[in-house]
Amino acid sequence: MTETLTAPEPTKSRRGIPAPIAMLAELTHRCPLSCPYCSNPLEMVRRDSELSTETWADVFRQAADLGVLQLHLSGGEPAARRDLVDLVRAARDAGLYTNLITSAIGLTQKRLAELDEAGLDHVQLSLQGTDAEMADRIGGYQGGFKRKMQAAQWIVEAGFPLTLNAVVHRQNLHQLPEAIEMAVQMKARRMEVAIVQFHGWAMLNRGAMMPTREQAQEAGRIVAEARERLKGTMVIDYVPADYHDDYPKRCMGGWGTTGLNITPDGLVLPCHAAQTIPSLTFDNVADRPLAEIWYEGAAFQAYRGTDWMQEPCRSCERRTVDFGGCRCQAMALAGDPAATDPVCIKSPLHHKVVEMAEAFSEDEETPLTYRVNA
Amino acid sequence: MPDSALPAEAVPVIPRGVRLHHDHVRDGWVLLAPERTIRLDPIGLAILRQIDGTASLGQIVATLAEAYDAAPEQITGDVDAFLQGLMERRILEVRP
Ligand code: SF4
Ligand code: SF4
């Protein structure tokens, strides 16, 4: 989600492939919470397979050399890494803009001061609900909300610029106005409102979490109104519900054009859900230089550009706008990663997605399936 | 378009979490902010370089006018639009 204005021709690109701008480092899959929409894969990486501090530091340097400007330290819960402060320092030393994506659980005042001193640029705090009842139920962790709110206060007191990140779905969508109010109270400069995206664990929770079409539209209205009202106070980025849209999203800014993900054990992915595509193989930072993986790796080449497309994408005027949507969604819903994202109104499967979304959103029985740690 | 121009006494400040950075791979200057990378053209860069947390908008315009040998009235509009654009995105702040 990185915006570039009037990007000049990248000078060091190879064969017309642009250098990446953003990298998401999944430092660990461990997390004290068990959010049912967690984007981590169902098969999680265990602690003893996680990359070492030194390897991460090397990957950060390679990323900066490759052209990455923005680094997102994510997880699981990145604070579960004991060496988080060292990792932040290494990222800053490499010259990267360093963003911590956290539930804040496990962050102490002392640790925040150390992160501050290490040069952390920005904190992105996730919100599961606006009260303890909702947040603790969605996060699957009693007392989590209280700890989060305490840590949030410390983050603000330490002076970190803050983004509040609210994932909304059928069960908490009614709290959206309150979530926006909370972000304003916390003096967040930015808020991200994301309707749950169905990847990872969320795929198991479509029945429990799929918003209704009316809810999805209502969320859009709430965000539009808040944007207008809060102009100059807080910026709101919005990720709409994709099962209820006519056109798919441009995933990752275009496959292999803008960003990359590193898993806790060092696999380099074109997007965080790419492992759900069984035909892809991924390189590991332990085996190959990052630049080579980006420019030549099979997984990155697979869906770069438009050559791989089938109809209706191949001849569609939007093909360089949305690049045919999400490959992982095509895999999940059409059984073919090169198919048109079935969310698209031009996909022969679109009507099925509409019916499915409706059926899921009316499901009143399926309970939440929580993510389980490896 | 902003509703009204910033007063000449306003002091623009680059807030914490926003950094000017030389992108050596693409050979250009960028402004790095939360989830945003803003590529700067020479004018944008020149404006941002004048922001030191003490210089007022009026002073910045005067300095640029002299450097570019242009009339301050000509420059004011550009500077104002650029700064207000950043302010709207919470990438820049001003002290009145
Ligand atoms: S989505 Fe929830 S469970 Fe998954 S990493 Fe984030 S906080 Fe942890
Ligand atoms: S047909 Fe393909 S390229 Fe065209 S709008 Fe649909 S997904 Fe995008």
Side-chain angles (χ1 to χ4, degrees):
Chain A
M1 256 160 281
T2 301
E3 163 195 55
T4 29
L5 301 178
T6 61
E9 271 305 295
T11 45
K12 284 190 190 163
S13 73
R14 294 193 206 166
R15 278 181 279 126
I17 300 170
I21 286 175
M23 181 165 91
L24 186 99
E26 290 177 356
L27 298 179
T28 177
H29 279 156
R30 289 173 286 137
C31 184
L33 299 189
S34 329
C35 305
Y37 51 73
C38 185
S39 62
N40 286 163
L42 304 186
E43 284 278 336
M44 279 186 268
V45 172
R46 288 169 183 281
R47 182 186 199 139
D48 52 14
S49 310
E50 290 176 7
L51 298 182
S52 67
T53 317
E54 296 70 39
T55 308
W56 275 120
D58 179 54
V59 171
F60 297 161
R61 281 189 295 270
Q62 288 192 54
D65 286 345
L66 177 58
V68 169
L69 299 170
Q70 300 246 1
L71 174 69
H72 306 290
L73 298 175
S74 176
E77 173 50 59
R81 287 277 305 214
R82 288 222 185 94
D83 56 356
L84 181 63
V85 173
D86 295 329
L87 292 171
V88 167
R89 196 171 290 117
R92 282 304 308 267
D93 285 347
L96 297 168
Y97 188 92
T98 308
N99 173 28
L100 181 70
I101 303 180
T102 179
S103 71
I105 291 170
L107 282 177
T108 60
Q109 213 165 358
K110 177 166 170 286
R111 201 124 183 261
L112 282 161
E114 289 166 2
L115 289 169
D116 187 5
E117 190 267 323
L120 181 64
D121 286 298
H122 173 243
V123 177
Q124 187 164 325
L125 176 68
S126 66
L127 190 74
Q128 284 72 20
T130 56
D131 54 40
E133 198 193 334
M134 177 69 75
D136 291 355
R137 186 167 66 79
I138 300 299
Y141 182 96
Q142 269 310 312
F145 184 72
K146 208 171 150 212
R147 294 184 63 184
K148 178 195 292 286
M149 293 316 286
Q150 174 57 260
Q153 200 187 328
W154 292 331
I155 292 166
V156 174
E157 282 170 10
F160 286 112
L162 177 72
T163 290
L164 192 68
N165 184 0
V167 176
V168 290
H169 43 79
R170 192 168 83 240
Q171 303 208 11
N172 71 359
L173 214 142
H174 61 282
Q175 295 191 334
L176 179 54
E178 218 178 308
I180 294 171
E181 200 37 52
M182 270 174 82
V184 173
Q185 293 299 325
M186 288 180 188
K187 298 204 166 35
R189 282 188 214 161
R190 203 177 143 265
M191 183 173 187
E192 221 174 274
V193 175
I195 309 253
V196 62
Q197 302 295 298
F198 293 102
H199 300 290
W201 293 84
M203 274 305 264
L204 308 178
N205 284 295
R206 288 185 293 183
M209 303 194 125
M210 181 75 68
T212 62
R213 187 170 264 268
E214 293 68 40
Q215 276 186 316
Q217 286 164 349
E218 176 65 6
R221 269 195 300 275
I222 292 170
V223 169
E225 181 278 323
R227 269 183 183 156
E228 193 50 40
R229 180 166 51 88
L230 298 171
K231 217 172 182 175
T233 306
M234 188 172 78
V235 174
I236 307 179
D237 286 336
Y238 179 50
V239 182
D242 49 11
Y243 282 35
H244 293 298
D245 251 339
D246 287 347
Y247 290 109
K249 287 187 212 43
R250 171 179 178 138
C251 192
M252 294 292 292
W255 188 278
T257 65
T258 311
L260 67 164
N261 270 40
I262 315 277
T263 65
D265 54 348
L267 292 179
V268 188
L269 313 180
C271 95
H272 65 81
Q275 285 169 296
T276 58
I277 301 177
S279 53
L280 293 180
T281 51
F282 305 100
D283 292 301
N284 196 298
V285 291
D287 307 326
R288 249 183 132 178
L290 194 64
E292 208 177 292
I293 298 175
W294 172 262
Y295 287 113
E296 291 160 31
F300 283 89
Q301 291 290 50
Y303 304 113
R304 217 173 225 146
T306 54
D307 286 351
W308 54 272
M309 286 180 179
Q310 308 169 355
E311 291 299 347
C313 292
R314 181 168 275 276
S315 56
C316 177
E317 74 284 355
R318 285 177 58 92
R319 69 183 177 278
T320 52
V321 175
D322 60 33
F323 287 100
C326 171
R327 295 306 89 226
C328 307
Q329 199 147 265
M331 180 70 224
L333 302 180
D336 174 3
T340 295
D341 185 335
V343 162
C344 182
I345 200 160
K346 294 185 180 177
S347 160
L349 296 172
H350 178 76
H351 69 279
K352 278 201 169 165
V353 173
V354 174
E355 282 161 25
M356 201 167 65
E358 201 163 305
F360 280 130
S361 70
E362 284 165 3
D363 179 347
E364 281 172 6
E365 270 138 48
T366 312
L368 290 173
T369 302
Y370 289 94
R371 90 164 224 172
V372 277
N373 278 296
Chain B
M1 262 279 116
D3 299 336
S4 60
L6 294 167
E9 321 74 72
V11 175
V13 189
I14 297 177
R16 179 166 171 187
V18 180
R19 290 197 276 123
L20 203 55
H21 177 83
H22 185 257
D23 179 350
H24 61 97
V25 171
R26 298 166 193 84
D27 195 20
W29 285 87
V30 290
L31 199 58
L32 297 176
E35 297 280 337
R36 297 283 190 277
T37 301
I38 296 170
R39 215 151 278 294
L40 298 168
D41 59 16
I43 300 169
L45 179 63
I47 297 172
L48 284 168
R49 283 214 161 123
Q50 297 302 321
I51 297 177
D52 61 4
T54 58
S56 71
L57 185 61
Q59 287 164 333
I60 291 172
V61 167
T63 311
L64 291 171
E66 193 171 320
Y68 289 88
D69 199 14
E73 308 76 62
Q74 235 178 321
I75 290 184
T76 307
D78 283 355
V79 175
D80 192 83
F82 179 73
L83 296 185
Q84 293 218 45
L86 293 177
M87 283 168 69
E88 227 166 65
R89 292 188 280 167
R90 294 294 273 109
I91 290 171
L92 192 89
E93 294 172 1
V94 291
R95 278 201 299 264

